[in-house]
Each structure stands twice: as C-alpha cells, then as structure tokens.
Amino acid sequence: MARKTEIAVVGAGPAGMAAAIEAGRAGARVIVIDENQRPGGQLFKQIHKFFGSEAHRAGTRGVQIGLDLLREAEEAGVATLLDTVVYGIFSDRCLGLAREHHTEELEADAVILATGASENALAFPGWTLPGVMGAGATQTLIHIHRVLPGKRALMVGAGNVGLIVSYQLLQAGAKVVAVVEGLPAIGGYGVHASKVRRAGVPILTGHTVLRAEGREGVERAVIARVDENWKPIAGTERTLEVDTICLAVGLSPLAELAWMAGCEFRYIPALGGWVPLHDGNMETTRKGIYVAGDLAGIEEASTAMEEGRLAGLAAAQSLGHLTRERGEKKKGEVHKRLAALRMGSFGEGRAISKEQILQARETV
Ligand SMILES: Cc1cc2nc3c(=O)[nH]c(=O)nc-3n(C[C@H](O)[C@H](O)[C@H](O)COP(=O)(O)OP(=O)(O)OC[C@H]3O[C@@H](n4cnc5c(N)ncnc54)[C@H](O)[C@@H]3O)c2cc1C
C-alpha cells in the first residue's frame, strides 16, 4: 500500500526547504524527498558570502543559510526522506520513490517540485577527456568530497558561477590559468570578477575554448578569440597547459518530473530554456502540482526560497490550513520581496520573463 501525506516536496534545496517550512508552519503534514544524503541542495557547496540585499541574507555564507533552513524545517515538524530518488510521478499525484534497493509509492494531496537545475555542457574536440567537467561538479568535488579536481584549470564562462568557482579553485590550492568568456563583456557581478582579477587570473572576454588535448586526460587547452558571431579568428589560437577545463556555460531547469506530470511548458531562454508554466501561486497547469526555484526558471537561491515560500503557502491554503485572508496576506508579502529581488540591471530581464510565464499560463 502506498504511503500517504498531505504535501510532498521533491528536492531539499533552498526552494524545497522554504516550501516545506511554510507548509509545515501552517500545520500541513509535509514530507521532503531528496536524492542526497544531506538536505540543502546547492547551498552546502556555497562557502562564499551571498550577494543581494540584506533582507535576503547578503553577506551570509550559503552553508549557514542551509543550516538555518534545516533547523527551521525541524521546528516546523517537516519529515525528510533522504537518499531517495523520485523516479516518476503518476496520476493523482502519486510519486514513485527508489530507496534502499527497493521502490515504493507516496501519494500526496499536493506536490511541490523543487528539483533545481542541471549544468549545460559544451561540445568541442576532446570534451570527453577526463578533466573536462561542469563548474558545479568542480564545486561538489571540492566542498562535498574534499577533492581537488586538478592543479591547473581553465574556466569557460565568466558569469557568476564561473567567477565564483574560479575563486574557490584558487582557495583550494589550484592555479586558474585563465577564464575565457565568448561574450564581449563579463556576465557576473563586478565584485566576483574583481576578486578573481586581483588574484592574478586573466579574464579573456571574446574568447572561447577550441579543443582539449591529451592522451588519457586533459593536458592542454587551445583557446582563441572569437568575432561577433562567435567564429574563432584565425591566427589568435593559444595553447594553455592545463589539466582541468571547467564549464560554466549555463544551467537548465531539471524538469523531467514536471514533463512526466503533463505540465505545459514554454521555451524562455532568459530563464534557462524549457520552463513549466505556473501562476502567481507557483501552481502549474496540473492541479495540485506546484514548482519553485531553478526548475521554475534559473535565478538565485534568494528567489528560489521566496518561490518555495509561495508554493508552500499556496499548497497549505488549498488544503485548508490557512484561511483565504491569511494566505493572501502572507503571499502578498512574499510577492513584494520577489519583486524587489527582480529589480536592477540583473533582475529586470528575469522579471519580464517571469511575467511572460504568468501571461502564458493564463491563456492555457
Ligand atoms: C557556483 C554557484 C554559486 C552560486 N552563488 C549564489 C549566490 O551567491 N547567491 C544566490 O542567491 N544564488 C547562488 N547560486 C544559485 C543557487 O545555488 C540556486 O539558484 C539554488 O540552489 C536553486 O535552488 P533550488 O532549491 O531550486 O535547487 P537546488 O539547490 O539545486 O536543489 C534541488 C535538490 O533537488 C534534488 N533532486 C533533483 N531531482 C531529484 C529527484 N528526482 N529525486 C530526489 N531529489 C532530487 C537535488 O539533488 C537537489 O538536492 C549559485 C549557484 C552556483 C552553481
């Protein structure tokens, strides 16, 4: 017989934990499921101080935010099921779980999907050699497994992820030979770029990696300048002696479960690609199935937490744990904070894209 709960949250990252905390505080019976041995999602890899506003814990390290969320979840009476993969979602919000060498089912009145994102790859000659890896994988190796992936690294991509992981490689004792970025300008925050530059790492904009060379692993990377169409400019090739090539070329929403549930999607490049449509409550086109965090469009941990709160409140309200008045008031406060996070030169584009999702959702 299937186990039952009121609210099942898939993914124990900042979005899933925040959703579970709000729903638990409202009095709902909540189970959070995560494939890892420890909850927290990306947060436990992020030893750096977060950016953003004070209200969103700028200056606090991701690890600390993760620990705080775990404590709050416990206080809210949230149950966690770790080391457990949700391999499928079936009719009537029934989840297929794989754990401890067996499978089982969990039926929920509401499901909140907060599965995060996967790293984009970049195909070039030699990209399958050992030593070519995602920047997020590099972070996992260093901060979770305490393993330095190599001694001399090339970082591909100068967005926030590429810049932050470059700095973390330096802190862990590796040399970052260069950061290459195809665009004419650095994509990440100036504060991160400055730290990397001050450490003596050249950030080469308008450059890309052409190929990786080596016999059994990466031994060299060939880079070149690119024109405005991203075409390599002949005669500008340079060979760098590296044993690691880290790819920080974007993230895509990890949306398999939402596809499987039959949710409607839109392709929105500014949010990382195919994104499940959702309304202001984070509810998808399937009743009782909510999304939050990077799955609902690639942004940041701070927005992921706020979206999680919205989904948790909305799910709890739909199950009668919050009066309409109280639910709407609390969600209104979250919407205000989300709007503040989506202001400024970095946030505006995301605000417009999120608006597109809401409008598209209304037409379905
Ligand atoms: C290098 C780097 C630096 C960053 N720095 C910042 C920063 O300074 N400030 C900031 O605000 N943001 C930062 N971010 C972004 C932030 O980490 C993400 O936006 C945030 O973690 C997204 O939260 P989430 O809960 O949606 O996903 P995640 O944190 O990725 O959590 C999703 C969880 O779901 C689990 N999961 C997925 N599928 C399944 C399944 N089928 N079954 C069971 N479990 C599953 C995953 O294993 C994971 O634990 C950074 C990201 C990176 C990579």
Side-chain angles (χ1 to χ4, degrees):
M1 252 219 345
R3 194 200 285 229
K4 287 190 173 38
T5 188
E6 282 190 294
I7 300 179
V9 180
V10 186
M17 292 305 283
I21 291 165
E22 288 300 338
R25 279 180 183 159
R29 220 157 13 99
V30 187
I31 298 184
V32 184
I33 308 129
D34 197 285
E35 60 198 353
N36 295 293
Q37 288 174 344
R38 195 179 180 200
Q42 303 302 316
L43 286 173
F44 286 105
K45 302 176 198 168
Q46 293 167 11
I47 57 161
H48 61 282
K49 291 183 180 164
F50 268 37
F51 37 79
S53 72
E54 221 170 272
H56 290 98
R57 317 222 31 204
T60 309
R61 295 183 195 280
V63 183
Q64 185 56 48
I65 298 175
L67 289 172
D68 292 348
L69 288 178
L70 298 194
R71 183 182 37 77
E72 287 171 30
E74 214 178 296
E75 286 166 6
V78 170
T80 43
L81 211 51
L82 300 173
D83 245 337
T84 303
V85 175
V86 178
Y87 69 85
I89 180 163
F90 310 107
S91 60
D92 298 328
R93 297 175 294 278
C94 178
L95 301 177
L97 313 184
R99 61 194 303 259
E100 292 170 354
H101 309 294
H102 71 277
T103 59
E104 58 184 66
E105 289 174 356
L106 174 67
E107 281 175 11
D109 299 321
V111 171
I112 299 174
L113 299 174
T115 45
S118 62
E119 291 193 274
N120 295 341
L122 188 66
F124 49 84
W127 76 297
T128 56
L129 278 172
V132 181
M133 66 185 76
T138 308
Q139 223 186 20
T140 307
L141 278 175
I142 297 175
H143 299 310
I144 306 288
H145 303 296
R146 311 281 175 200
V147 172
L148 192 58
K151 291 194 172 123
R152 295 174 60 85
L154 168 69
M155 179 65 65
V156 183
N160 278 323
V161 172
L163 296 172
I164 290 168
V165 176
S166 292
Y167 196 70
Q168 292 176 346
L169 274 162
L170 294 170
Q171 287 177 311
K175 182 171 172 63
V176 179
V177 176
V179 178
V180 290
E181 166 60 60
L183 290 169
I186 292 169
Y189 293 146
V191 59
H192 296 310
S194 303
K195 272 165 83 173
V196 172
R197 278 203 177 113
R198 275 201 303 274
V201 178
I203 303 178
L204 307 173
T205 53
H207 278 73
T208 192
V209 59
L210 288 187
R211 60 183 178 274
E213 296 177 348
R215 284 165 66 83
E216 289 180 3
V218 174
E219 292 170 26
R220 287 170 302 279
V222 180
I223 63 167
R225 277 186 40 213
V226 291
D227 63 20
E228 63 278 10
N229 299 315
W230 290 64
K231 286 236 159 55
I233 301 171
T236 65
E237 296 86 359
R238 280 165 59 187
T239 301
L240 305 176
E241 301 289 322
V242 294
D243 55 16
T244 307
I245 300 177
C246 300
L247 304 177
V249 291
L251 302 164
S252 301
L254 204 55
E256 285 87 347
L257 291 174
W259 284 109
M260 205 172 172
C263 303
E264 295 272 346
F265 280 68
R266 279 289 178 288
Y267 188 74
I268 303 191
L271 293 176
W274 288 98
V275 180
L277 294 185
H278 55 78
D279 61 15
N281 282 329
M282 305 307 296
E283 191 171 17
T284 64
T285 50
R286 301 306 300 242
K287 192 164 170 36
I289 298 186
Y290 300 77
V291 287
D294 279 354
L295 160 64
I298 307 295
E299 293 191 83
E300 297 171 347
S302 28
T303 41
M305 284 186 274
E306 297 294 13
E307 287 193 342
R309 285 188 188 105
L310 270 184
L313 288 167
Q317 186 181 337
S318 76
L319 300 178
H321 290 287
L322 287 170
T323 61
R324 192 171 187 279
E325 194 188 4
R326 184 148 173 73
E328 295 308 316
K329 182 170 179 289
K330 282 181 132 319
K331 287 185 295 184
E333 288 160 7
V334 181
H335 275 297
K336 274 193 202 142
R337 292 199 298 268
L338 265 175
L341 282 170
R342 291 177 181 143
M343 284 188 337
S345 54
F346 280 93
E348 254 167 33
R350 292 188 271 119
I352 293 167
S353 303
K354 278 285 179 179
E355 194 51 44
Q356 280 174 8
I357 294 183
L358 296 182
Q359 282 170 9
R361 170 70 185 83
E362 274 173 20
T363 61
V364 175

